[in-house]
Amino acid sequence: MQVWKEYQAQHKDRFLQELLDLLRIPSVSADSRHNDDTKRCAEAVKEQLIKAGADNVEVCPTPGHPIVYGEKIIDPALPTVLVYGHYDVQPPDPLDLWHSGPFEPVIKDGKIYARGSADDKGQFYMHVKAFETLMATNTLPCNIKFMIEGEEEVGSSNLGPFLEQNKERLKADVVLISDTSMISLETPSIDTGLRGLAYMEVEVTGPNRDLHSGVYGGAVANPATILAKMIASLHDENNHITIPGFYDGVVELSAAEREALNKAPFDVEEYKKDLGVNDVWGEKGYTTIERTGIRPTLEVNGIWGGYTGEGAKTVLPSKAFAKISMRLVPGQDWINISELFKKHFEAIAPKSVQVKVTAHHGGSPYVTPTDSIAFKAASQAIESTFGQAPIPVRGGGSIPIVALFEKTLGLKTVLLGFGLDSDNLHSPNEKYDLANFYKGIETIPYFHKHFAELSK
Amino acid sequence: MQVWKEYQAQHKDRFLQELLDLLRIPSVSADSRHNDDTKRCAEAVKEQLIKAGADNVEVCPTPGHPIVYGEKIIDPALPTVLVYGHYDVQPPDPLDLWHSGPFEPVIKDGKIYARGSADDKGQFYMHVKAFETLMATNTLPCNIKFMIEGEEEVGSSNLGPFLEQNKERLKADVVLISDTSMISLETPSIDTGLRGLAYMEVEVTGPNRDLHSGVYGGAVANPATILAKMIASLHDENNHITIPGFYDGVVELSAAEREALNKAPFDVEEYKKDLGVNDVWGEKGYTTIERTGIRPTLEVNGIWGGYTGEGAKTVLPSKAFAKISMRLVPGQDWINISELFKKHFEAIAPKSVQVKVTAHHGGSPYVTPTDSIAFKAASQAIESTFGQAPIPVRGGGSIPIVALFEKTLGLKTVLLGFGLDSDNLHSPNEKYDLANFYKGIETIPYFHKHFAELSK
């Protein structure tokens, strides 16, 4: 619509400056030293929602980081879109690998470099600016509710109770989220499935104190060695995961479905080149697209133990630790998988060590229906601004709350993501392309328009 | 001798206070932030040698931490004992496990708690006080030279060149070192062999940046997982080390020698209880005494990679690291073993990762002759003050410089150690028993006396 285009062209620079201000707040939810920053970020989101035209805007306290709510109800008879996003970000370390400060956003080669630029500040903020556009041009075609939380990166543990307590307030017809990627601006795509997550921490204890590796080495189980052996045993020689029962219930795709999935444009040579690896790696019998989309995985996210400083220390450590997470697919339940992991990890520990397994958090996998009004609205919105229909793809990441929305609110979700796989999410030098940011702001009003029209 | 006993009884408290002052200097050689402290510690050692009566005392600079030299030549015709020790200490971390500050020595239950109390400040200082006793009572029976270095805990890399450049100055008949343990004050023992050491650091690189474990997990080799698999493969199911050629040349002991070795008092139940483990661990076919004394070993001293902070971060790390050291026995050369390790570790790396292997430092194993005059003198000295002859045992630790002394100076070494295995060397709450400290000061003058007499 011309009126949207004109309004957005006029306020383009301000939209960006506002986002940069938001990116300057180090709202790291995992690090309690940043609790004041997450609070400040929630307040900033509140201010922006009010300015954009939302009513009843509120920073809702939780036992953890607050949730920002706002709404614009123009007519209770019209359909309602619940926009979800998160203002919290991943920890920025390792800091020394950033080319500029993670919380000092820099625009370079048409990209915004900052922690949270793509995940998810840059993406949820497109919705705020799309909403502003609709309000300012007096063209809002449906009701909109915003729920922007601050604990997505640490497991959204307070979101479930919030949903339960606010069922009436959150009543809607669909949940709309921009927190995923598309293939490219030239080949737009929409994620139709997300993997679930089970995130564990393990602690292996050998001797009751750090020992001199000369005096005791060779005679006492070294927890770092044992942990390595235990981790090594979690994948077999075909890179299948060895936890008993892990694959039980995993929904296998039909040959036709797999064929369709593998039609997405993908160049393994380019993929290897981009990552700087000589070879891909993964479960035997599956392509890279399948490995990241439809198959469950197990990854070591962190490992530590013993002396890790400068130089040499001949210590036989008392303890070794690892953070291990599993991505889950339809048919797997994260609580069940967490329990299977714990049971297995405890079972394979040799007698000479002690093992403690803790579940951090998790979420169930989710597959979006592609025949819903909301998915069609999203597809048409993309077509309106990209000139072509999006390819439906299965995403590898997890947004555990998507399953939660279905369970608690009875709502389906549309994942209208504008990121790119190259955005360095959770990595140093996270970035979000300016072109994607503006394309999102341009596209989202069409979603509301088509959704309202198709709902008639 | 009554005159020694009286002198020592009179100055007992001062001896201890002087040691505590030395322990207050955080001379951590591995950490360059402590370079001023190691320098200050060398100066303090110099002052104490001068006060005790040594001549030509000098802090000799090296490209690393300095070496303190001092001597008392009473008659060039008399035998000369070269006392070696080290004033540097291991890093104190993990700091939170110390019950008192590592550099704020505390006396509790008859033990001195401080980093370096046993390894090696408390032990080399016994020699300074024994020398003072001999000087003050005018009973020095031989020439004594002191060489107290500051890089033992980081591989003594500047000691070799120093020995080469000071062959004349260091001329002696035997090297005497107190940097090992005995079984107990009730069952004195002398180490007759020490294992060698090869200390390696490995770096495994997967993708060229940290990745989102949801987007890339399952399709790209995770360096933490691969490192775990590589470490796991270094021991087979019998805990034999799998590096090709590793055991080549290892001197196997005869059945009679093994029987003698296993006669040393050792209670495996007490050992397990002390360490808080349900079971011992090690190479099949060997006892705990053999595993720590006559067999080579491989230990992970440190491992790290990915996110190790608070909470959860779903990262697929770009790199993972480990510090891995091997204890060597007669027949193994540390340079050869370092090369075998490097070659093997590079060979087992899958194509999907890159591996960098660096050798930190090392030293060759050493076996002391038990039929030498010096060993006899040590044995008689122990008998003079303990009332019984010491048991000869094979120690598990490494003092790489012992092989160096033989090679460069042509000198045999006697390891007259007064520590205990329970001293928490290289661990939090390192301690040295006051009784052992004073017993050492009491015993050492007898070594010089017997050595001078037996050399006649």
Side-chain angles (χ1 to χ4, degrees), chain B residues 14-240:
Chain B
R14 176 175 54 81
F15 289 179
L16 177 60
Q17 290 312 319
E18 288 170 6
L19 172 60
L20 299 188
D21 283 343
L22 214 53
L23 292 170
R24 286 188 186 103
I25 306 174
S27 49
V28 181
S29 51
D31 190 338
S32 51
R33 288 170 300 181
H34 284 294
N35 282 358
D36 285 347
D37 297 316
T38 48
K39 208 171 163 186
R40 191 154 55 90
C41 195
E43 290 295 337
V45 173
K46 176 186 164 183
E47 286 313 307
Q48 289 303 336
L49 282 175
I50 292 171
K51 277 189 195 162
D55 299 329
N56 305 318
V57 184
E58 189 187 340
V59 172
C60 312
T62 78
H65 303 297
I67 295 166
V68 187
Y69 178 81
E71 62 182 25
K72 188 75 204 179
I73 310 297
I74 50 169
D75 180 352
L78 285 174
T80 302
V81 176
L82 175 58
V83 172
Y84 164 89
H86 63 94
Y87 65 81
D88 67 321
V89 299
Q90 280 276 319
D93 42 309
L95 281 171
D96 54 327
L97 296 183
W98 283 80
H99 301 136
S100 50
F103 301 107
E104 294 150 23
V106 162
I107 312 280
K108 209 180 133 190
D109 305 329
K111 298 167 179 70
I112 313 163
Y113 285 92
R115 171 57 87 227
S117 55
D119 179 16
D120 177 48
K121 285 175 178 171
Q123 293 219 62
F124 89 72
Y125 205 65
M126 301 180 311
H127 287 271
V128 182
K129 294 298 103 178
F131 171 63
E132 178 191 314
T133 305
L134 291 165
M135 290 297 290
T137 58
N138 205 20
T139 51
L140 185 64
C142 59
N143 306 311
I144 298 191
K145 295 177 175 177
F146 286 93
M147 176 171 61
I148 313 298
E149 74 148 320
E151 300 191 300
E152 201 271 344
E153 301 295 5
V154 290
S156 304
S157 51
N158 292 301
L159 188 67
F162 181 81
L163 298 184
E164 285 290 354
Q165 289 152 21
N166 291 277
K167 277 188 179 169
E168 193 55 38
R169 175 150 68 154
L170 298 171
K171 243 184 183 167
D173 295 281
V174 72
V175 179
L176 183 63
I177 306 179
S178 294
D179 193 20
T180 49
S181 299
M182 48 171 46
I183 295 168
S184 68
L185 284 186
E186 293 70 43
T187 312
S189 60
I190 296 182
D191 273 357
T192 59
L194 285 174
R195 292 194 284 189
L197 180 72
Y199 200 111
M200 316 296 291
E201 186 156 329
V202 301
E203 176 186 317
V204 178
T205 306
N208 53 16
R209 59 186 187 271
D210 281 3
L211 300 175
H212 187 299
S213 72
V215 177
Y216 292 92
V220 179
N222 181 324
T225 308
I226 300 296
L227 176 60
K229 280 186 180 278
M230 292 172 77
I231 288 172
S233 79
L234 296 176
H235 288 97
D236 71 12
E237 69 281 10
N238 293 319
N239 288 325
H240 292 304

Side-chain angles (χ1 to χ4, degrees), chain B residues 213-269:
Chain B
S213 72
V215 177
Y216 292 92
V220 179
N222 181 324
T225 308
I226 300 296
L227 176 60
K229 280 186 180 278
M230 292 172 77
I231 288 172
S233 79
L234 296 176
H235 288 97
D236 71 12
E237 69 281 10
N238 293 319
N239 288 325
H240 292 304
I241 294 155
T242 57
I243 300 166
F246 184 79
Y247 292 101
D248 288 1
V250 163
V251 176
E252 296 280 347
L253 269 68
S254 69
E257 283 174 307
R258 288 179 65 178
E259 207 189 312
L261 195 70
N262 283 299
K263 277 201 177 130
F266 176 76
D267 182 333
V268 74
E269 291 309 318

